[in-house]
């Protein structure tokens, strides 16, 4: 039966697989179900939220239908919302399944507002942008998993933006049925191969006694032949009484000879070693019940005829009795003789088989059967259409694993929430920050080449613009005065994580031709403005800046007057300024020594001591406007500020002050006997520690002559 069954299974599997392929190809419908946006009023901006995308349904593509040129910008949802503000716009959301036979649609909403906006092109908020024309098939791809992402579609801020979007929906059940039939067909083919293998294996077992006469297939068959030969030899000396006795003993012997399938498999490996008892003894029936193993094997696995075995066993037992009782001096039967199989019944004088022996004797047969049953059970489960369909729609999981997975997911979310509460994520990607720095460097390089301060806008403002404007002015008086080029190689960066504006970042850069890195401070005042350079100083040699990546979170702006670290930012600025004027000032104990401070204080003291008939003093009034502070993830604070560093020259009666270079040009004279104040614009960046016991570090300083005042 197994051979025909295997052929039927093979044909059935091919038929099912063929039908499945047909449903997916020849008989498949050419129509693809889609959902489209609804018609709404025109607006200069169109926002596509990530609700339109459904990764679980493998819906990550959509088509934008448009005419003419337009731009698509990818950004975080909060940044797009901040830029859109009060402008009129169309919002495209999730797919809405149609009720009954109604078609599915895409949620589309029009929001009233400003009908024209500035051109959004080139905004620093966009992580990526692309200008295209006509219909576009767009594949959704967010840069990372930090926050939610959206798309903004626009033209120039005045013309209506495209708002017609189409998305393909998952295939209907007919397609799923074809896939299921292919899988089922493949499984049925495997079952046919399995049944064919079993059929061939059974035939080989049935032919094994014919190919190897020395082995025994069933108990009593070969044994009867062997003992029959022995009985024939002993018959010459046997008397009639002996033969009669043997005949009387034959029925009892035949009645107790029972053979299991496991014995057959063990007997084919070699002779069965079991010593023959010299005399029969009485055995308890309860023990007799425990010795059999027939109950553990299905009768369908037997390959012999029990009735035929009974006849053969009876003949074999009768012959054995005749040989044992003949002539009173016959040699005992060799227990190792090939073909002699003891009955499964009780053996009182023989030692009981140990558990290990039993396992060794039946290991091969039981292992083979266990594998067969396990394989059949697996195929039976796989061939259940209901189970397969259920798995395709909603894969079943082990409840324990489900519960464990849910628990781990909840714990992970809780951990992420706790971490994110304090850390968050940077508002700029590394690529965004690099683009901003490159643009600032390009803008400043163009202005530096022309010594034109107007060319610095809109990328440079605040103290950085004032310093560069002074540099261009002083260059006209002294050609050796030039501005430091802005480096584009980002070594480290601390970018704020908050969504509010203004946003800030401290960036350490290195110019290819410079030996000392720079500290840049950039700020974005509002969503529709780009980042601007507000401070740029050279790092003090020997100082270190915390190693922070641009995309690390946990950086936030703080009030410069608030004591967020060991000292408030503005307080530390003022105290450090006083310490630079006077090396004996107490706050110097809280400031880390470096080369800049040592050289500055040494120069000031030397100048004061060497000047004759001249009194020199120093003041550094702090300029509160433009100061800023940012708290880093470790709790320390970066403070940024500037001073009007003033050198006061007071000559005694009759003494004169000689001026040269830029100071002379600004003073309008080379020599004067009047009091003179030389004012330098001094920019400074400090790193204030979070804990007591650590010192404030002067990271960078830059100064340039601002003005020279001759006091009449």
């Amino acid at each position: 039966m197994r051979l025909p069954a295997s052929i039927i299974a093979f044909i059935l599997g091919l038929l099912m697989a063929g039908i499945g392929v047909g449903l997916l190809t020849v008989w498949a419908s050419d129509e693809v179900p889609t959902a489209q946006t609804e018609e709404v009023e025109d607006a200069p901006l169109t926002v596509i939220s990530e609700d339109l995308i459904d990764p679980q349904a493998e819906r990550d593509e959509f088509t934008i239908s448009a005419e003419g040129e337009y731009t698509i910008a990818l950004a975080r949802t909060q940044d797009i919302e901040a830029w859109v503000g009060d402008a009129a716009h169309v919002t495209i959301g999730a797919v809405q399944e149609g009720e009954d036979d109604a078609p599915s649609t895409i949620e589309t909403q029009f929001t009233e507002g400003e009908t024209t906006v500035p051109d959004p092109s080139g905004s620093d908020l966009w992580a990526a942008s692309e200008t295209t024309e006509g219909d576009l098939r767009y594949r959704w791809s967010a840069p990372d998993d930090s926050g939610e992402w959206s798309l903004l579609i626009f033209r120039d801020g005045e013309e209506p933006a495209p708002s017609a979007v189409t998305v393909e929906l998952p295939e209907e059940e007919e397609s799923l049925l074809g896939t299921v039939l292919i899988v089922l067909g493949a499984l049925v083919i495997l079952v046919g191969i399995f049944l064919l293998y079993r059929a061939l294996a059974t035939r080989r077992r049935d032919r094994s006694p014919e190919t190897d006469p020395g082995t025994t297939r069933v108990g009593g068959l070969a044994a009867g032949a062997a003992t029959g030969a022995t009985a024939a030899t002993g018959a010459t000396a046997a008397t009639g009484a002996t033969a009669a006795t043997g005949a009387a003993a034959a029925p009892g012997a035949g009645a107790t000879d029972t053979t299991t399938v496991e014995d057959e498999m063990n007997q084919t490996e070699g002779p069965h070693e079991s010593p023959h008892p010299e005399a029969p003894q009485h055995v308890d029936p309860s023990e007799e019940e425990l010795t059999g193993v027939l109950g553990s094997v299905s009768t369908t696995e037997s390959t012999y005829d029990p009735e035929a075995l009974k006849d053969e066993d009876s003949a074999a037992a009768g012959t054995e009795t005749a040989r044992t009782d003949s002539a009173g001096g016959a040699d005992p039967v060799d227990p190792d003789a090939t073909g002699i199989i003891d009955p499964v019944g009780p053996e009182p004088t023989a030692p009981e088989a140990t558990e290990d022996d039993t396992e060794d004797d039946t290991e091969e047969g039981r292992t083979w059967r266990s594998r067969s049953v396990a394989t059949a059970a697996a195929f039976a489960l796989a061939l259940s259409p209901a189970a397969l369909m259920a798995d395709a729609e909603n894969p079943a999981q082990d409840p324990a694993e489900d519960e464990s997975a849910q628990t781990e997911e909840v714990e992970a979310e809780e951990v992420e929430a706790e971490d994110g509460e304090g850390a968050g994520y940077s508002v700029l990607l590394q690529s965004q920050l690099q683009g901003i720095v490159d643009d600032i460097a390009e803008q400043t390089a163009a202005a530096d080449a022309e010594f034109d301060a107007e060319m610095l806008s809109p990328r440079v403002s605040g103290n950085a613009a004032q310093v560069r404007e002074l540099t261009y002015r002083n260059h006209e008086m002294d050609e050796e005065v030039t501005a430091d080029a802005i480096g584009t190689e980002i070594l480290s960066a601390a970018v704020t994580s908050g969504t509010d504006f203004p946003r800030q970042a401290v960036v350490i850069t290195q110019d290819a031709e410079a030996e000392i890195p720079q500290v840049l401070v950039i700020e974005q005042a509002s969503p529709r403005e780009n980042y601007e350079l507000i401070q740029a100083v050279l790092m003090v040699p020997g100082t270190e800046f915390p190693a922070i990546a641009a995309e690390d979170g946990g950086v936030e702006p703080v009030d410069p007057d608030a004591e967020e670290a060991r000292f408030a930012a503005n307080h530390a600025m003022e105290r450090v300024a006083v310490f630079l004027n006077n090396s004996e000032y107490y706050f110097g104990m809280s400031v880390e020594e470096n080369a800049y401070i040592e050289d500055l204080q040494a120069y000031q003291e030397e100048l004061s001591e060497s000047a004759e008939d001249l009194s020199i003093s120093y003041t550094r009034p702090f300029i509160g406007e433009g100061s800023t502070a940012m708290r880093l993830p470790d709790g320390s604070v970066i403070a940024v500020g500037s001073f009007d560093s003033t050198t006061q020259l007071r000559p005694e009666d009759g003494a004169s002050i000689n001026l040269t270079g830029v100071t002379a040009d600004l003073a309008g004279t080379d020599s004067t006997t009047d009091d003179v104040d030389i004012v330098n614009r001094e920019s400074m960046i400090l790193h204030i520690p979070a804990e007591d016991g650590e010192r404030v570090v002067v990271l960078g300083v830059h100064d340039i002559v601002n003005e020279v005042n001759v006091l009449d």
Side-chain angles (χ1 to χ4, degrees):
M1 282 299 292
R2 288 176 181 156
L3 183 58
S6 65
I7 296 174
I8 294 174
F10 192 78
I11 295 174
L12 181 60
L14 288 177
L15 182 61
M16 294 174 65
I19 294 175
V21 172
L23 289 176
L24 296 179
T25 55
V26 180
W27 303 318
S29 175
D30 295 334
E31 296 183 2
V32 178
T34 60
Q36 298 179 348
T37 53
E38 302 172 354
E39 293 186 4
V40 293
E41 297 182 38
D42 292 336
L45 304 172
T46 298
V47 179
I48 301 179
S49 69
E50 63 180 1
D51 294 337
L52 180 63
I53 305 304
D54 188 356
Q56 295 182 352
E58 298 182 355
R59 188 174 68 239
D60 56 358
E61 292 185 356
F62 53 86
T63 301
I64 301 173
S65 301
E67 295 181 358
E69 190 176 89
Y70 57 96
T71 302
I72 302 176
L74 174 66
R76 290 188 173 88
T77 301
Q78 61 197 16
D79 292 343
I80 289 181
E81 292 175 349
W83 201 100
V84 171
D86 296 331
H89 62 280
V90 175
T91 303
I92 298 176
V95 174
Q96 295 179 330
E97 300 293 337
E99 298 181 358
D100 298 332
D101 295 334
S104 299
T105 59
I106 301 176
E107 181 182 355
T108 311
Q109 181 179 359
F110 172 79
T111 303
E112 295 182 355
E114 303 171 2
T115 56
T116 60
V117 296
D119 189 352
S121 301
S123 174
D124 290 339
L125 295 178
W126 313 149
S129 62
E130 176 185 359
T131 300
T132 185
E133 186 175 357
D135 295 350
L136 174 67
R137 187 176 181 86
Y138 187 88
R139 176 181 289 274
W140 185 273
S141 179
D144 59 23
D145 297 332
S146 60
E148 298 179 354
W149 296 84
S150 296
L151 290 176
L152 181 66
I153 306 177
F154 54 88
R155 297 189 190 271
D156 59 356
E158 297 182 1
E159 296 184 15
S163 59
V165 175
T166 303
V167 63
E168 294 182 359
L169 300 178
E171 296 180 354
E172 305 263 338
E173 261 185 46
E174 287 75 8
S175 300
L176 179 61
L177 178 60
T179 304
V180 171
L181 286 175
I182 293 175
V183 174
L184 286 176
L187 293 176
V188 173
I189 291 173
L190 291 177
V191 171
I193 296 174
F194 171 75
L195 293 175
L196 178 61
Y197 169 77
R198 290 293 305 272
L200 294 178
T202 301
R203 289 192 175 188
R204 283 197 299 270
R205 273 200 316 273
D206 291 343
R207 289 197 300 267
S208 60
E210 301 175 2
T211 58
D212 189 4
T215 59
T216 303
R217 181 170 63 88
V218 290
L221 185 60
T227 51
T230 305
T233 304
T236 55
T239 61
T242 304
T245 304
T256 58
D257 190 6
T258 308
T259 307
T260 67
V261 176
E262 292 186 4
D263 293 332
E264 298 173 26
M265 300 181 66
N266 294 333
Q267 290 156 9
T268 58
E269 300 295 332
H272 182 76
E273 298 182 7
S274 178
H276 289 271
E278 295 181 359
Q281 296 182 7
H282 176 71
V283 180
D284 184 32
S286 61
E287 296 179 2
E288 193 171 353
E289 292 178 1
L290 297 175
T291 57
V293 292
L294 287 174
S296 63
V297 182
S298 172
T299 56
T300 58
E301 297 185 14
S302 177
T303 58
Y304 62 91
D305 186 358
E307 297 298 331
L309 291 180
K310 284 184 180 181
D311 298 338
E312 293 172 352
D313 291 345
S314 300
T319 307
E320 180 68 18
T321 304
R323 184 169 63 85
T324 302
D325 295 340
S326 63
D331 294 333
V333 179
D334 184 5
D336 295 331
T338 302
I340 300 178
I341 301 177
D342 294 331
V344 183
E347 300 181 15
T349 58
E352 294 182 4
T354 63
E355 197 173 86
D356 294 339
D357 294 336
T358 304
E359 292 177 359
D360 293 339
D361 291 340
T362 62
E363 181 179 3
E364 184 181 50
R366 293 185 181 180
T367 303
W368 184 87
R369 281 196 302 275
S370 299
R371 282 199 290 255
S372 301
V373 172
T375 306
F379 277 114
L381 289 176
L383 287 174
S384 174
L388 187 59
M389 291 291 290
D391 289 343
E393 296 178 358
N394 187 15
Q397 296 180 351
D398 180 71
E401 294 178 358
D402 245 357
E403 185 177 354
S404 175
Q406 292 175 2
T407 303
E408 292 177 0
E409 184 178 353
V410 171
E411 292 176 353
E413 291 177 354
E414 292 175 354
V415 172
E416 290 177 0
E418 293 174 359
D419 292 343
E421 185 177 356
Y425 50 83
S426 166
V427 295
L428 291 176
L429 300 176
Q430 178 69 29
S431 58
Q432 289 177 276
L433 180 61
Q434 186 65 63
I436 294 169
V437 171
D438 290 344
D439 201 13
I440 291 174
E442 182 180 354
Q443 191 97 30
T444 54
D448 292 347
E450 300 294 332
F451 298 98
D452 186 355
E454 293 181 358
M455 297 178 65
L456 295 172
S457 179
R459 278 299 190 181
V460 184
S461 65
N463 186 73
Q466 296 175 11
V467 169
R468 250 175 168 74
E469 186 176 356
L470 293 174
T471 303
Y472 299 158
R473 184 202 66 180
N474 293 352
H475 176 76
E476 296 177 358
M477 308 174 196
D478 185 354
E479 292 183 354
E480 295 183 358
V481 178
T482 57
D484 296 319
I486 302 298
T488 57
E489 181 185 356
I490 299 177
L491 305 179
S492 183
V495 183
T496 54
S497 302
T499 59
D500 297 333
F501 292 86
R503 298 176 177 179
Q504 298 172 336
V506 176
V507 189
I508 309 299
T509 65
Q510 178 82 52
D511 183 64
E513 299 179 358
E515 297 180 356
I516 302 175
Q518 290 176 310
V519 183
L520 309 179
V521 180
I522 59 177
E523 181 179 79
Q524 186 178 24
S526 67
R528 295 186 181 180
E529 297 180 80
N530 282 338
Y531 278 88
E532 299 176 354
L533 178 67
I534 62 173
Q535 194 76 277
V537 301
L538 294 178
M539 284 191 70
V540 175
T543 57
E544 296 180 355
F545 186 83
I548 305 175
E551 299 181 12
D552 290 345
V555 180
E556 58 179 339
V558 295
D559 185 357
D561 292 320
E563 192 170 331
E564 298 290 343
R566 184 181 179 188
F567 305 105
N570 287 348
H571 174 77
M573 280 282 179
E574 294 172 350
R575 300 282 82 79
V576 169
V578 177
F579 171 63
L580 294 179
N581 298 331
N582 180 11
S583 60
E584 302 297 328
Y585 188 60
Y586 80 95
F587 197 78
M589 301 176 59
S590 301
V591 179
E592 188 74 28
E593 297 180 0
N594 59 44
Y596 171 78
I597 296 176
E598 293 177 359
D599 292 345
L600 176 65
Q601 291 178 342
Y603 168 77
Q604 293 176 163
E605 291 177 3
E606 181 181 356
L607 186 63
S608 298
E609 293 175 358
S610 62
E612 297 180 0
D613 303 329
L614 184 65
S615 173
I616 301 177
S617 62
Y618 305 95
T619 62
R620 282 180 169 82
F622 177 64
I623 302 175
E625 183 181 358
S627 65
T628 184
M630 283 178 287
R631 183 170 56 198
L632 303 183
D634 62 358
S636 61
V637 169
I638 297 294
V640 180
S642 56
F643 309 89
D644 280 336
S645 175
T646 305
T647 302
Q648 299 173 337
L649 305 178
R650 302 292 183 262
E652 296 180 359
D653 294 340
S656 62
I657 301 173
N658 298 322
L659 303 174
T660 59
V662 174
T663 56
D665 290 342
L666 292 176
T669 181
D670 294 337
S671 178
T672 181
T673 57
D674 295 327
D675 296 345
V676 176
D677 287 347
I678 301 175
V679 181
N680 287 12
R681 174 56 57 89
E682 193 171 58
S683 308
M684 184 179 297
I685 297 180
L686 305 179
H687 182 209
I688 306 172
E691 301 178 357
D692 295 339
E694 298 182 6
R695 297 185 176 185
V696 177
V697 177
V698 179
L699 285 177
V701 179
H702 180 274
D703 66 339
I704 188 171
V705 178
N706 183 12
E707 58 183 351
V708 177
N709 299 319
V710 178
L711 306 178
D712 296 334

